[in-house]
Amino acid sequence: MTLDVSLEPAAPLLARLSALRDRVAALVAHRSADDPTAADPLRGLYLSEEAVRHLLRPEPEPAELPPLEADFGDGFTDGDMDGFAGGDMDGFADGFTDGFTDGPADPLAGLASRLRLTPLDTTLLLIALAPDLDRSFEPLYGYLNDDVGRRRATVGLALDLYGAPAHLAAARARFHPAAPLGALGLLTVEEPERPFLSRSLRVPDRVLAHLLGDDTPDAALTGHLRAVSYDGEPADAEFVRLLAARIAAGPLLAFLRERREGEGLGCATAALRLAERSALHYTGPAERIPELLREARLSGRAVLVDSDRPGPLLGELSTTAADVTVLFSSPRPYDPQWCEHRDPLVLEVPSRRAAAPDAWAAVLPDAPGFDLAATVAPYHLGGDRLTRAARAAQALAAFDGTPLTAAHVRLGARQQSASGLEQHARRIRPAVDWRDLVLPERPLAELRELALRARHRDRVLGDWRLSAGGGRGRGVLGLFAGESGTGKTLSAEVVAAELGLDLYVVQLSSVVDKYVGETEKNLERIFTEADRTDAVLLFDEADAVFGKRSEVKDAHDRYANLESAYLLQRLEAFDGIALLTTNLRANIDEAFTRRLDLVVDFPFPDEEQRLALWRHGLAHVPSEAGIELRSLAAEFELAGGSIRSAVVTAAYLAAAHDRPLTAADLLEGARREYRKAGRLVPGTWA
């Protein structure tokens, strides 16, 4: 069987090796002409007396070697030193071109052109890689090294083959770690314990693979690179346009500070798409930065990095990535101490508004059966997260064996908003809707208005520029006030369900701390995470942390007032949806009330509402026919929460006797609720 193997793009490289072999042959002939040990089969394994006398002879004339191909140079010239400024990376990086263009067919010449390597650098690279591509160079190099065991090129051999004097400082400097070949990761000088001219030269396997046409990423980066998605609409078209223009202008190190997770990465990918640049998305440690930058240089790609601990990564990149475009996104503000040599271009990423319905329609073409715009309005997803949410929704629909629905889209979007809120809050996946609320018309209308505000805040506060300014966010804040059991928490769950968002109930026990300043830190973590998440935040019994400020009489009053002042400032800058509930509206500081979008009062239910609550509670419970509920509603003045508890008690009584629920069971449930509250049971029912 014949194996058909194409030599492209290796053919030009092999042709260069043929020219190099002629040069090696000439040097071998020159060395062996007057070498008395040339015919000794053990040459290189020991030193005879003749060999010592031969080494002590006066220095011979340099070999007259045939020239290599013209674009590699035919000898050492002063021009070969241009661009290397005493080992300073910035000295030669200014001349680099960051864009990947279609270079010559010869991959080595193309690499030299892109990275602005001198003829000397390019020839040294060819000499070093020869044994890795053609085994016949191994014994030849062993002979020229006077050591059959040293079958790689050495510094001295490379200079001899090029025709550069070994004592010339400028030539020796090309092997310095900060010189182009070392700094770019193209050539490694090994064995530092040996004399300089005897140190071996090695070309990394990844560089040779690239020259042979294999662009599989370096194995050292396995697990640290992610695919870059260029789908989705940018958060701010003008910001993306300016960033794309700067990327096209040349190498750039930019730090993009984001408010919500994924915003910086979304803007970066949109700008790269506009600038027609591909990129490597890196998620690994700082120790792998050299391999990352080498990969970017070989492929001509930019680098994307996102991290919530940017210090070590950004510091390393600011030092070594002068010739590569690097876009770094992080939620943390930039700290000048991270970068010693040069500061990045620091940009604040515009907050992402809800993705346009057209962007969702592009990734969900099979969603004609429902109002897509209303369904996706609460979600601030973009870029690859929007695409992943669409894929998740389609997968859920396929699993259910049904056409795509709004519920599938909402669940797919919520999966892309996973957050760290659960450390301080309890997540509730809403399983209720408006039919579960039994409220008067006014609070019901106010709750619907709250949901509308959450949907249209980007248009009203952003497009129509009705934000108050002063660093105020675009959050929606509501206060639910009423007696216990009147439906405040249930209403918050219904609002979250209407918006298709998860509800996070803040656990005050994990927030309030006796140590000064710790409560504010815990609250800041919650607000920061909520700003980055599409969710509804609920502060139940909010008067515990949003209470009135008092006159300062001692240190306790002072620090309690500091907590309130912090909350006032933080609520103004909040971008999410926060709901507060309280049984005692009078205990809420008026300064908080002014910052709220809506205050919804939940009245104690009247007789008709109590009757509706009894009926709603029994809707799914097997019951005897003819149970008189109106008399229960009239005689027992219970709030909705208490009525539900009474129905649950009655249901357990019925289940224990394995029979349908009876009027006596309901009566016993109502009596227990009265006794729990310390109230006297009405005489008729006692």
Side-chain angles (χ1 to χ4, degrees):
M1 184 176 72
T2 303
L3 184 63
D4 182 17
V5 180
S6 174
L7 294 179
E8 293 293 342
L13 197 56
L14 294 176
R16 292 199 180 278
L17 289 182
S18 179
L20 177 61
R21 187 179 291 104
D22 293 339
R23 198 172 182 88
V24 170
L27 185 58
V28 169
H30 176 75
R31 292 267 185 93
S32 62
D34 59 348
D35 186 355
T37 65
D40 188 344
L42 299 180
R43 182 183 184 277
L45 296 179
Y46 74 102
L47 279 176
S48 65
E49 187 176 344
E50 286 183 306
V52 172
R53 284 198 296 268
H54 177 68
L55 293 173
L56 291 174
R57 77 193 190 286
E59 183 176 350
E61 293 293 326
E64 294 184 3
L65 302 177
L68 291 173
E69 298 198 21
D71 49 349
F72 277 66
D74 54 3
F76 178 78
T77 64
D78 291 338
D80 289 341
M81 298 300 105
D82 293 343
F84 177 57
D88 182 2
M89 181 74 178
D90 292 336
F92 67 87
D94 292 341
F96 279 59
T97 176
D98 193 35
F100 184 87
T101 58
D102 293 332
D106 184 341
L108 186 56
L111 182 69
S113 175
R114 290 197 310 276
L115 302 185
R116 297 290 179 88
L117 300 179
T118 66
L120 173 57
D121 291 330
T122 313
T123 305
L124 294 177
L125 192 60
L126 177 68
I127 293 169
L129 65 82
D132 293 300
L133 198 56
D134 187 337
R135 293 179 61 185
S136 66
F137 280 90
E138 292 186 53
L140 295 173
Y141 281 5
Y143 177 86
L144 294 173
N145 285 326
D146 290 328
D147 186 342
V148 295
R150 299 182 60 75
R151 303 163 79 85
R152 288 191 174 277
T154 59
V155 173
L157 176 56
L159 292 176
D160 286 344
L161 284 171
Y162 190 82
H167 60 268
L168 190 61
R172 297 167 70 98
R174 308 312 288 182
F175 300 96
H176 192 279
L181 289 176
L184 300 178
L186 303 178
L187 183 68
T188 303
V189 180
E190 299 180 326
E191 303 169 306
E193 73 282 357
R194 284 183 173 271
F196 182 73
L197 295 178
S198 298
R199 295 174 186 173
S200 297
L201 303 179
R202 182 187 297 273
V203 175
D205 292 344
R206 178 65 192 96
V207 177
L208 183 58
H210 171 76
L211 293 174
L212 296 176
D214 179 5
D215 273 329
T216 303
D218 196 314
L221 299 176
T222 301
H224 301 316
L225 293 179
R226 293 181 184 174
V228 179
S229 172
Y230 297 92
D231 300 327
E233 293 297 319
D236 187 300
E238 180 61 17
F239 177 85
V240 169
R241 185 190 66 79
L242 293 173
L243 182 57
R246 180 61 188 84
I247 291 172
L252 167 69
L253 176 62
F255 181 83
L256 309 177
R257 194 203 173 181
E258 59 188 11
R259 291 289 300 274
R260 292 170 62 94
E261 183 179 0
E263 285 182 341
L265 200 61
C267 283
T269 54
L272 288 166
R273 178 181 58 186
L274 188 60
E276 299 181 346
R277 290 290 306 279
S278 57
L280 299 166
H281 182 190
Y282 182 66
T283 59
E287 290 76 15
R288 291 289 176 235
I289 291 295
E291 290 86 355
L292 171 68
L293 295 179
R294 181 175 64 203
E295 191 67 41
R297 288 164 180 140
L298 291 176
S299 60
R301 285 181 280 187
V303 172
L304 293 179
V305 185
D306 59 320
S307 173
D308 57 357
R309 295 182 178 179
L313 283 166
L314 192 59
E316 181 70 16
L317 288 168
S318 70
T319 304
T320 58
D323 58 310
V324 176
T325 290
V326 178
L327 304 178
F328 199 113
S329 68
S330 176
R332 294 188 58 183
Y334 173 68
D335 186 344
Q337 294 185 358
W338 292 339
C339 303
E340 296 181 2
H341 298 279
R342 61 177 179 136
D343 289 316
L345 175 64
V346 180
L347 302 171
E348 291 283 340
V349 177
S351 293
R352 180 186 293 132
R353 52 180 296 166
D358 291 345
W360 282 94
V363 295
L364 288 173
D366 52 347
F370 55 92
D371 187 348
L372 182 61
T375 300
V376 302
Y379 303 110
H380 293 70
L381 301 177
D384 67 325
R385 287 185 176 270
L386 189 148
T387 306
R388 290 164 62 184
R391 285 201 299 262
Q394 291 166 336
L396 290 167
F399 178 79
D400 291 339
T402 64
L404 187 70
T405 65
H408 293 134
V409 174
R410 287 171 173 168
L411 184 54
R414 286 206 301 268
Q415 290 175 357
Q416 298 304 316
S417 293
S419 72
L421 276 172
E422 291 190 43
Q423 296 179 11
H424 297 287
R426 175 171 54 91
R427 184 176 71 172
I428 297 176
R429 284 285 175 87
V432 294
D433 56 31
W434 296 106
R435 294 171 297 181
D436 295 296
L437 285 180
V438 180
L439 291 172
E441 191 59 36
R442 181 171 180 177
L444 202 58
E446 290 174 337
L447 290 174
R448 292 186 183 277
E449 181 186 342
L450 190 65
L452 287 174
R453 283 177 178 253
R455 278 200 176 95
H456 300 296
R457 53 187 166 142
D458 285 326
R459 178 187 297 180
V460 173
L461 299 179
D463 296 347
W464 296 351
R465 305 187 69 176
L466 288 179
S467 177
R472 291 175 173 83
R474 297 181 183 179
V476 175
L477 308 175
L479 174 66
F480 297 169
E483 294 184 32
S484 178
T486 51
K488 301 184 295 297
T489 304
L490 178 63
S491 297
E493 188 175 348
V494 169
V495 169
E498 171 68 13
L499 296 172
L501 303 175
D502 288 335
L503 178 69
Y504 284 88
V505 183
V506 176
Q507 305 290 334
L508 295 181
S509 60
S510 66
V511 173
V512 178
D513 197 297
K514 66 179 181 179
Y515 294 105
V516 174
E518 291 302 313
T519 300
E520 290 90 329
K521 290 180 181 178
N522 293 333
L523 286 168
E524 178 61 30
R525 294 188 191 101
I526 291 174
F527 280 117
T528 299
E529 197 63 41
D531 271 335
R532 302 167 56 188
T533 305
D534 290 321
V536 177
L537 195 61
L538 175 63
F539 289 90
D540 214 356
E541 308 296 341
D543 42 306
V545 288
F546 294 86
K548 284 187 175 182
R549 289 168 288 184
S550 60
E551 180 183 352
V552 177
K553 295 181 180 178
D554 56 27
H556 297 288
D557 295 333
R558 178 190 176 199
Y559 289 116
N561 288 347
L562 283 176
E563 289 182 10
S564 297
Y566 159 78
L567 282 168
L568 287 169
Q569 296 173 356
R570 193 61 182 85
L571 280 176
E572 285 193 335
F574 186 53
D575 279 330
I577 304 169
L579 303 176
L580 289 64
T581 69
T582 180
N583 299 340
L584 300 169
R585 178 176 173 179
N587 287 353
I588 300 293
D589 197 300
E590 292 182 2
F592 288 114
T593 306
R594 183 180 65 80
R595 289 163 171 81
L596 298 171
D597 295 293
L598 281 173
V599 176
V600 183
D601 288 309
F602 287 74
F604 194 88
D606 58 22
E607 181 179 335
E608 290 299 322
Q609 289 165 5
R610 293 197 295 272
L611 177 60
L613 288 166
W614 281 108
R615 288 173 175 167
H616 184 273
L618 292 170
H620 303 289
V621 181
S623 306
E624 283 186 344
I627 296 179
E628 178 55 47
L629 296 177
R630 182 169 290 279
S631 57
L632 280 174
E635 294 294 334
F636 288 92
E637 296 180 354
L638 297 173
S642 298
I643 290 175
R644 180 187 177 280
S645 296
V647 171
V648 170
T649 298
Y652 275 116
L653 292 173
H657 294 86
D658 194 21
R659 57 173 172 73
L661 184 144
T662 65
D665 295 330
L666 289 178
L667 179 58
E668 180 60 25
R671 287 169 176 164
R672 291 190 185 183
E673 290 306 308
Y674 257 59
R675 294 188 187 109
K676 278 171 26 180
R679 300 170 65 183
L680 292 175
V681 178
T684 307
W685 303 90

